Amino acid sequence: MSEKPISEKNLAYAFAAESKASARNLAFALKAESEGYKQIARLFRAVSDAESVHAQRYLRLMRGKIGSTEENLETAFHNEIRANVEEYPRLIKDALEEGFDGAEKAFSQSRDVESRHADLYKKAMGHMLEEREADYYVCQVCGYVSEGEAPDNCPICGAVKGKFKKIQ
Ligand SMILES: [Fe+2]
Ligand SMILES: [Fe+2]
């Protein structure tokens, strides 16, 4: 048992809230950009980044959330598998039942992408000691991660090469 259960719970709450605020501000930035408000987009990006600083800070204070890199790879791998086999299938089923095509498509593509993420983590676990150099490119439509170079078309959503962002 944790010694300070209320603070522990509040850290978890604040982590979730700030993570959401960061993502939401980023979406607001993209919208502002598309409407031609460059400076306001910049402001949304800055605050998004700041909320992310808060979220990371809280996560570091939460007990047992960040382990060694070996443990973190294991945790990340299992989270992807759970999303792939348990969480997304449930969400997909609900979306199908309600006939919400957009949500069904987004959930289905995410489910497929999560198994790709799991594969990449698995591969990394096997190579921890001989750190290979490889670039990663992320599909900005569905989240597919490509290793080495960006494909001509995303294997999950079909997006063109230009939709891939190189991770620094
Ligand atoms: Fe994932
Ligand atoms: Fe994609």
Side-chain angles (χ1 to χ4, degrees):
M1 270 303 278
S2 160
E3 289 163 40
K4 300 184 179 76
I6 292 173
S7 290
E8 197 69 27
K9 215 175 102 192
N10 287 346
L11 284 169
Y13 166 78
F15 169 66
E18 294 283 15
S19 298
K20 269 195 244 180
S22 176
R24 195 174 292 122
N25 279 304
L26 202 52
F28 289 168
L30 292 175
K31 178 69 173 173
E33 231 151 56
S34 78
E35 290 182 346
Y37 299 110
K38 254 184 94 175
Q39 184 58 33
I40 293 171
R42 207 174 277 147
L43 172 63
F44 277 130
R45 277 187 204 285
V47 177
S48 169
D49 191 69
E51 312 298 29
S52 163
V53 168
H54 291 163
Q56 292 291 318
R57 191 173 189 178
Y58 302 146
L59 188 63
R60 285 196 301 271
L61 285 167
M62 285 162 69
R63 235 175 289 272
K65 292 294 175 190
I66 301 178
S68 67
T69 294
E70 198 176 357
E71 291 165 340
N72 293 339
L73 277 172
E74 189 83 24
T75 302
F77 171 78
H78 286 294
N79 284 342
E80 300 291 354
I81 295 290
R82 196 175 54 237
N84 177 257
V85 303
E86 287 173 27
E87 288 158 9
Y88 276 120
R90 183 166 45 79
L91 304 183
I92 292 164
K93 184 170 163 279
D94 288 345
L96 278 170
E97 275 170 21
E98 287 188 341
F100 192 163
D101 295 345
E104 193 269 326
K105 184 178 174 188
F107 291 149
S108 296
Q109 290 185 348
S110 295
R111 175 201 54 201
D112 295 346
V113 161
E114 303 304 22
S115 102
R116 165 67 177 171
H117 295 171
D119 288 345
L120 288 168
Y121 283 136
K122 180 122 216 153
K123 196 166 157 190
M125 288 181 213
H127 290 86
M128 262 196 74
L129 297 177
E130 32 161 328
E131 274 209 86
R132 295 166 317 122
E133 287 265 334
D135 287 322
Y136 292 109
Y137 293 83
V138 178
C139 174
Q140 298 300 297
V141 176
C142 76
Y144 177 83
V145 178
S146 182
E147 194 182 59
E149 57 184 303
D152 288 336
N153 287 97
C154 178
I156 300 293
C157 75
V160 296
K161 208 186 199 93
K163 289 284 182 187
F164 278 78
K165 181 167 97 182
K166 185 177 179 183
I167 299 305
Q168 299 305 320

